[in-house]
């Protein structure tokens, strides 16, 4: 009894723990990884390190892109380590598993790194908030823009797990509405070193556009090998989920001309530059939209905790939905009942080496896509939290 009482007292008076569950060692490590831990800590520091009179502590874990490992870490954090909220989770399969666990445990899941739009659709949660971007918004931006430039036929090269499936499904809907045609598709395993057979199929299709429905290291390898095979001489490559860390790794010579949609670019305005300068000083790397999103989600969560006066998951989640989101990345954002943060998205073109004038000067802004246009209408997602009219 004394042990139980002591444990309860520690839980109530000890640090408020936030867990960054990410990919520390594989194909998404540059997009999330240690940079997400740094971004979360920056938000804690900017919040002065305490909430409700208790110190705030960031813990980190590596899910290794495996749903069973990610689930085990999430359960341990929530059941044994007094973690109040889990963040990042760049891998849609792991994120869906974590969403289920946090829903059951009534704890916050702030999905700043995951992409699948199912998180605010059939898998939505009262304590789940999809923060940075999703497959619907990314496919809307890139696929619509390329269709408007005259592309009629498409071939999909998709990662064989939930991210690739959802990106392809969301993009196919856009292609259908714009009068285009999908002439072929192939799936590849996650973390594929050799794309030759997949690219040869794509090349043989003679599609106007080869859409890469994959991310991180897979996207980088596919683009590099497409260049080696001469695919880009006759067909356009479209990245459906592209991070600036991918462009940095590829180099402008390989990536120039690529069109992509993103929730963030470090060089967009004075506020994004000021925050990014601090991040770059700490990491020596350019921040991705996951890093910026993780900072914003932690800051908004802490503001909601303070306003609600409690750490109770459902109460804090409701307060987060109630409060507008305003930071260097998001202007007058709002969190819908299905958990989707609605904010502007951006369409960019990757600059050529000659156009780039300074370090990390990689993107030219082509268009700002209003949040209401960028994200799937709430009534179309199939979320059980949305009241039917």
């Amino acid at each position: 009894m004394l042990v139980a009482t002591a444990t309860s007292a520690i839980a109530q008076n000890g640090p408020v723990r936030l867990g960054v569950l990410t990919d520390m060692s594989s194909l998404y490590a540059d997009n999330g990884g240690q940079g997400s831990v740094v971004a979360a800590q920056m938000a804690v520091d900017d919040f002065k390190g305490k909430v409700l009179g208790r110190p705030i502590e960031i813990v980190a874990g590596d899910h290794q892109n495996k749903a069973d490992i990610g689930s085990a870490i999430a359960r341990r954090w929530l059941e044994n380590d007094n973690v109040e909220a889990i963040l990042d989770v760049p891998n849609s399969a792991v994120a869906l598993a974590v969403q289920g666990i946090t829903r059951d445990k009534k704890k916050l899941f702030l999905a700043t790194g995951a992409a699948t739009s199912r998180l605010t659709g059939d898998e939505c949660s009262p304590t789940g908030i999809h923060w940075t971007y999703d497959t619907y918004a990314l496919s809307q931006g890139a696929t619509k823009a390329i269709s408007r430039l005259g592309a009629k036929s498409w071939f999909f090269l998709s990662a064989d797990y939930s991210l690739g499936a959802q990106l392809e499904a969301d993009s196919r809907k856009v292609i259908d509405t714009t009068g285009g045609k999908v002439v072929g598709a192939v799936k590849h395993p996650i973390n594929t070193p050799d794309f030759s057979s997949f690219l040869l199929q794509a090349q043989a299709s003679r599609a106007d556009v080869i859409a890469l429905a994959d991310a991180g290291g897979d996207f980088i390898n596919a683009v590099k090998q497409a260049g080696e095979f001469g695919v880009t001489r006759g067909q356009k490559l479209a990245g459906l989920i592209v991070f600036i860390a991918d462009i940095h790794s590829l180099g402008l010579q390989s990536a120039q001309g690529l069109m992509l949609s993103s929730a963030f670019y470090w060089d967009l305005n004075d506020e994004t530059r000021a925050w990014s300068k601090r991040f770059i000083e700490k990491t020596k790397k350019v921040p991705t939209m996951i890093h910026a999103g993780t900072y914003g989600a932690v800051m908004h969560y802490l503001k909601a905790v303070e306003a609600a006066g409690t750490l109770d998951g459902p109460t804090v989640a409701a307060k987060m939905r109630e409060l507008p989101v305003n930071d260097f990345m998001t202007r007058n954002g709002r969190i819908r009942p299905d958990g989707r943060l609605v904010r502007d998205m951006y369409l960019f073109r990757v600059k050529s080496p000659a156009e780039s004038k300074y370090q990390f000067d990689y993107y030219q802004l082509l268009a700002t896509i209003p949040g209401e246009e960028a994200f799937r209408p709430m009534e179309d997602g199939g979320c059980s939290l949305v009241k039917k009219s």
Side-chain angles (χ1 to χ4, degrees), residues 2-15 54 82:
L2 285 173
V3 172
T5 305
T7 303
S8 176
I10 290 168
Q12 291 174 10
N13 300 309
R54 294 165 58 180
N82 302 315

Side-chain angles (χ1 to χ4, degrees), residues 253-267:
Q253 191 63 45
S254 297
Q256 61 184 315
L258 190 76
M259 282 192 292
L260 59 101
S261 52
S262 180
F264 172 76
Y265 177 45
W266 76 272
D267 203 14

Side-chain angles (χ1 to χ4, degrees), residues 29-58:
D30 286 340
N31 298 332
Q34 187 59 34
S36 291
V37 180
V38 170
Q41 188 62 53
M42 285 172 68
V44 169
D45 293 344
D46 288 351
F47 204 78
K48 309 304 181 193
K50 282 192 171 186
V51 67
L52 303 183
R54 294 165 58 180
I56 307 159
E57 187 177 295
I58 300 295

Side-chain angles (χ1 to χ4, degrees), residues 261-334:
S261 52
S262 180
F264 172 76
Y265 177 45
W266 76 272
D267 203 14
L268 209 52
N269 55 51
D270 289 343
E271 284 186 89
T272 59
R273 282 187 284 272
W275 183 86
S276 298
K277 182 182 176 186
R278 292 169 55 205
F279 181 90
I280 292 166
E281 284 170 355
K282 291 176 183 294
T283 64
K284 306 298 184 266
K285 292 182 178 179
V286 61
T288 68
M289 56 180 162
I290 293 178
H291 300 145
T294 299
Y295 176 97
V298 170
M299 187 63 77
H300 193 68
Y301 168 79
L302 294 174
K303 287 177 182 175
V305 167
E306 194 170 66
T310 180
L311 289 168
D312 177 69
T315 305
V316 175
K319 184 59 73 173
M320 289 183 76
R321 284 166 166 82
E322 181 186 316
L323 298 173
V325 180
N326 278 296
D327 59 31
F328 67 90
M329 179 185 185
T330 305
R331 284 281 169 277
N332 299 314
R334 60 181 186 86

Side-chain angles (χ1 to χ4, degrees), residues 74-269:
R75 287 189 186 280
R76 187 185 77 239
W77 279 355
L78 300 180
E79 293 172 2
N80 303 327
D81 298 342
N82 302 315
V83 168
E84 299 293 342
I86 295 175
L87 296 113
D88 194 1
V89 196
N91 179 301
S92 290
V94 182
L96 289 167
V98 170
Q99 177 112 312
I101 294 165
T102 51
R103 186 194 299 117
D104 292 344
K105 300 291 183 184
K106 295 182 168 55
K107 297 291 186 180
L108 268 292
F109 176 34
L110 309 179
T112 57
T116 178
S117 57
R118 290 184 64 197
L119 290 168
T120 55
D122 63 319
E123 288 288 343
C124 69
S125 162
T127 56
I129 293 173
H130 203 175
W131 192 268
T132 312
Y133 56 90
D134 64 24
T135 48
Y136 184 94
L138 293 170
S139 58
Q140 283 283 303
T143 312
K144 267 188 182 174
I146 294 165
S147 296
R148 284 169 183 156
L149 292 175
K152 296 296 182 188
S153 58
W154 296 71
F155 186 100
F156 280 92
L157 204 164
S158 304
D160 192 12
Y161 78 111
S162 48
L163 167 72
Q166 199 64 53
L167 268 176
E168 183 177 329
D170 286 340
S171 297
R172 280 175 177 266
K173 290 173 189 170
V174 177
I175 291 164
D176 285 345
T177 60
T178 55
K181 183 181 178 185
V182 178
V183 296
V186 65
K187 298 188 183 303
H188 68 80
I190 190 171
N191 234 346
T192 297
D194 183 6
F195 280 85
S196 55
S197 65
F198 309 118
L199 287 167
L200 287 171
Q201 289 178 64
Q203 195 172 32
S205 75
R206 298 191 177 179
D208 296 334
V209 182
I210 300 169
L212 302 177
D214 52 17
D218 283 335
F219 168 78
I220 291 166
N221 285 338
V223 173
K224 282 181 177 174
Q225 290 172 39
E228 291 164 9
F229 278 93
V231 171
T232 48
R233 283 198 291 272
Q235 295 163 294
K236 284 190 179 72
L237 280 185
L240 299 181
I241 176 168
V242 183
F243 296 89
I244 197 165
D246 304 332
I247 302 303
H248 182 71
S249 180
L250 280 165
L252 295 183
Q253 191 63 45
S254 297
Q256 61 184 315
L258 190 76
M259 282 192 292
L260 59 101
S261 52
S262 180
F264 172 76
Y265 177 45
W266 76 272
D267 203 14
L268 209 52
N269 55 51

